[in-house]
Amino acid sequence: MRRLAQTKRSLQALIFALLAQASNQAMCDEGIAEHVDRAAREPIGIEAGYVYTQGKYSSTVESKSTVKNLTLSWTAFDMDFQFTTLYLERTAPAGTIIARVKKVITVTPRIVSSSGAGDLSLSVNKEIFTDPATAIAVNAVGEMKIATADSAKGLGTGKNDYTVGLTASYPFETAVVSGGAKYSVLGDPGKIKVNGIVEDIRFNNIWSGYFAFTTELTSRSNATFSFNMAQPSGTATNYYQVLELATSYRFSEAASVRIFTSKGTNQNSPDWSAGLVLSGNF
């Protein structure tokens, strides 16, 4: 069980970090929460990831994006901190913002390709309850998306987002069941020009949540099945719903890799996405 916990801790990618704020999978990115012995954690970690996503999102044409991310994490004051930076490449209808795809297109639009630095994100995670008898754990999480991406290129909204929430986990001998819920206050871009097109973009604050089941395959590997869901961030859009299947392999106590693929279940979700994350601790 300790091996499973250590592997999962090193593979947490952006709560809302790798996928959430990283691409047009805006709200998927819930990290899998679980109880981990803090004394066994390494204080500093680094993750490098790559994600490819495509989907029509109720449009007549597909939007495509690739995301390269670098995440630094450290443990101090009995809390876990993460800092994530992104580089985005996207091809989408002109006027579309990559982080919140919401446009309904009825005619063939002008397609635009752009690339550049994405938004930065900061997060903090603190265990607030644990039951020694069952190892059930509850964590409080806080996140901030700093709007550093160029909204004129459609790489971000140009506004900061703020998120708070709770996650919980229940470990078995060789498996972990976890879930969580978060509330996000989304910055409202208003009237902005995106790829030369003036848009009046209004966002609602949203609730999001996830459920995940992780099981140990071998002493060095595990698999995770998860379901992520979020309220619509705008009018005339559906809930965001994504199923994800992931597997991870631990090369050593300090290094691991995670490979995943996901599938949206409605029009406001990506058709599919895939990626990998390399992690190290020291």
Side-chain angles (χ1 to χ4, degrees), residues 16 20-21 26-27 99-100 119-122 142-147 156-164 183-189 203-206:
F16 281 11
Q21 306 168 357
M27 288 292 109
R100 297 284 188 274
D119 295 323
L120 301 177
S121 64
L122 298 172
E143 301 157 9
M144 177 182 180
K145 186 208 76 176
I146 304 172
T157 65
K159 299 294 181 180
N160 295 346
D161 297 340
Y162 306 91
T163 298
V164 295
Y183 183 75
S184 298
V185 177
L186 305 180
D188 209 6
F203 290 143
N204 301 320
N205 299 333
I206 62 171

Side-chain angles (χ1 to χ4, degrees), residues 189-208:
K191 288 187 177 182
I192 59 175
K193 184 178 288 188
V194 185
N195 301 125
I197 296 178
V198 176
E199 296 277 15
D200 188 8
I201 300 175
R202 307 291 175 178
F203 290 143
N204 301 320
N205 299 333
I206 62 171
W207 283 96
S208 62

Side-chain angles (χ1 to χ4, degrees), residues 5-129:
Q6 287 175 326
T7 301
K8 286 305 299 170
R9 174 64 189 90
S10 67
L11 293 174
Q12 289 179 351
L14 47 159
I15 148 35
F16 281 11
L18 177 60
L19 300 178
Q21 306 168 357
S23 68
N24 30 17
Q25 293 179 247
M27 288 292 109
C28 184
D29 35 311
E30 302 289 350
I32 306 305
E34 66 205 61
H35 174 69
V36 180
D37 183 2
R38 290 183 178 270
R41 293 179 181 172
E42 298 294 343
I44 300 176
I46 185 169
E47 293 178 350
Y50 176 89
V51 182
Y52 175 83
T53 303
Q54 72 177 46
K56 287 190 175 181
Y57 306 97
S58 301
S59 170
T60 59
V61 297
E62 285 186 330
S63 296
K64 301 177 182 179
S65 69
T66 61
V67 181
K68 302 170 185 176
N69 81 289
L70 180 66
T71 298
L72 301 177
S73 60
W74 65 99
T75 300
F77 310 107
D78 206 31
M79 293 185 289
D80 300 322
F81 300 88
Q82 283 192 336
F83 171 80
T84 299
T85 181
L86 310 168
Y87 185 83
L88 310 177
E89 296 175 319
R90 47 91 77 180
T91 300
T96 300
I97 289 180
I98 191 172
R100 297 284 188 274
V101 175
K102 62 189 287 290
K103 174 177 288 191
V104 177
I105 300 169
T106 56
V107 296
T108 302
R110 177 168 63 94
I111 305 301
V112 177
S113 295
S114 55
S115 61
D119 295 323
L120 301 177
S121 64
L122 298 172
S123 67
V124 60
N125 178 21
K126 180 176 176 57
E127 189 175 84
I128 59 175
F129 171 80

